Every structure is written in structure tokens, then in C-alpha cells.
Amino acid sequence: MLDKIAFRSIPSGLYIISSKTSEGRRVGCVVNTLIQVASEPPTLSISLNKDNATTQAIMETGTFSATVLTESATMELIGLFGFHSSRDLDKFQDIECIPCMNDLVYTPANACARFVVKVEHRVDVGSHIMFVGPVADAEALSSDSAMTYAYYHKVLRGKTPPKAASFIAEEGIDSPTEQTGATAAGDVRYGWRCSLCGYIVEQEELPDDFKCPICGVGKEFFERIEL
Ligand code: FE
């Protein structure tokens, strides 16, 4: 038996990982795989899809920074880092970046802690590579609650990018009526849900040139739903 639903019971958070290519280009992505794996020395691990631009950069430069996202993080921020590739886009161009160790940056918005890791071990784990290393720099940024992956799914109604370690191919779409329900008068309102990232647009029709503000796909990826 390999019940994929079982994996959803493993709690995790959401983290923005930043690194830099050997040419100095900033790259980053959002993951749910940051874990403290030792206390002495304080050591973190992440695992990243082999196809990610961030993975390639960490292979080249051997270091990354990580921020722990809070529940105030928006779908727009998570979508920017989770549903686009750093090969096509400078994800940092329109958000605040603060320089930190190893010539890296971190993004302080909606973050409650940050770390810089020097990678000492790489483990090939199939679809992903696990990077493990001691923490070179750590700082608590706020006392706000860290966002859990469950919060992302249940409150923000977010979906899992296909390259994520926790991606389940047959991931279902939760009943949209649980979100807002029908109006008191019994009228049914309609909207549109992005089938890739889960973003919901509350309007009757979408223009032909509509693009998802989170993941960038076109109107054809939106399905009509009851609100
Ligand atoms: Fe989308």
C-alpha cells in the first residue's frame, strides 16, 4: 500500500529559499522542506526539485538563505516564488531584499526568521536533491505565527506546484462552496478558479486576455465555480 493521502499528515511550513548563480544572478523558490536536522552544530536541510533554477545555483555556489513565511504572506508572494521559474524572471526585482552573509539576500516581508546555510552535504533523493549544512547566520525577525502548509491549503486555498516534494498528481480541488457559501437569499454566485494555483476570481466573466496574477496562466486554465 502507498496511500499518498498519508503524506498530507506530515506538518510543514513554507519557506523562501534564495541563492545566487555562479554568474551572480539572484534565484529563489518557495519550499515546504526546510528542517532542522541537528542542534550541534545547528544544521538545516532542504530538498529541492532537480529541475529548479535554485537547485542549480546552490550546486554552483554551495550556499542559500531561507526565510520562514508567516500567516500574513499573500498568495501573490507565494505564487511569485512557487509558480514561476527564476530562469524566466528576476523574482526579487519588485520586493524588498536585504543583503546577508555569503553575498546572498533575504526577503524580510512576511517573514518571522531567516537563516544562511553553507551546504556541506548533497544527497540525491530521486526527484529532489537534499542540501544539508550548518547555519552560518540566523535571526528572528518577528513573533508572528509561521505559516503552515495546512494553513496555506485551507485558508489561502493554495495548491501544490508540480515540482514540490509534496506534490500529489491526483490532488483534488476542495469544494468551493465551503469557502463562502451561497448568499442568504439562496442566490448562487459564480467565479473562476485557476486549476494550477487555486487562485479565485470573483467575477462573472473573464476577458480573453486574462492572466492569473499568481501563476501567470491564461483564461483557459480557469474553471467556473460556485462561490
Ligand atoms: Fe494561477
Side-chain angles (χ1 to χ4, degrees):
M1 177 188 284
L2 190 62
D3 182 358
K4 293 183 176 178
I5 302 302
F7 294 96
R8 295 184 184 173
S9 299
I10 302 172
S12 60
L14 278 184
Y15 315 96
I16 288 182
I17 304 300
S18 306
S19 191
K20 200 174 252 190
T21 67
S22 53
E23 290 91 41
R25 201 164 57 80
R26 295 175 299 189
V27 296
C29 60
V30 65
V31 303
N32 71 328
T33 56
L34 180 75
I35 300 172
Q36 181 174 358
V37 292
S39 58
E40 193 56 47
T43 302
L44 296 179
S45 77
I46 55 169
S47 76
L48 297 180
N49 191 287
K50 289 176 178 174
D51 292 336
N52 280 7
T54 309
T55 308
Q56 187 61 44
I58 297 174
M59 298 280 273
E60 292 171 5
T61 57
T63 186
F64 65 87
S65 71
T67 57
V68 180
L69 290 177
T70 65
E71 290 178 352
S72 62
T74 62
M75 278 297 290
E76 283 77 5
L77 179 66
I78 297 167
L80 172 65
F81 280 88
F83 288 96
H84 297 272
S85 172
S86 288
R87 292 189 181 91
D88 312 321
L89 175 71
D90 178 1
K91 299 180 182 180
F92 302 86
Q93 62 186 347
D94 294 323
I95 57 176
E96 183 184 4
C97 297
I98 296 180
C100 56
M101 283 182 68
N102 296 350
D103 201 26
L104 298 173
V105 297
Y106 72 93
T107 54
N110 313 112
C112 57
R114 68 172 187 89
F115 304 91
V116 174
V117 172
K118 182 180 185 306
V119 174
E120 291 194 346
H121 308 282
R122 294 182 207 158
V123 185
D124 186 322
V125 284
S127 59
H128 286 57
I129 292 180
M130 179 181 287
F131 296 106
V132 185
V135 175
D137 192 16
E139 181 181 10
L141 300 173
S142 82
S143 58
D144 295 345
S145 297
M147 181 181 291
T148 64
Y149 213 38
Y151 184 97
Y152 167 71
H153 281 294
K154 289 176 181 167
V155 180
L156 294 188
R157 313 290 288 182
K159 298 186 77 177
T160 304
K163 289 187 193 175
S166 57
F167 176 70
I168 299 174
E170 59 268 39
E171 181 173 45
I173 295 173
D174 298 332
S175 167
T177 54
E178 290 175 12
Q179 185 179 20
T180 54
T183 64
D187 299 334
V188 176
R189 294 184 299 120
Y190 291 94
W192 299 84
R193 184 204 300 268
C194 177
S195 60
L196 183 57
C197 74
Y199 181 76
I200 291 174
V201 185
E202 296 186 15
Q203 61 191 52
E204 269 297 309
E205 295 297 335
L206 294 179
D208 287 343
D209 60 352
F210 185 82
K211 293 264 188 287
C212 177
I214 304 300
C215 68
V217 299
K219 175 184 177 180
E220 66 275 16
F221 284 83
F222 278 76
E223 54 207 0
R224 192 167 167 82
I225 58 169
E226 288 183 14
L227 295 173

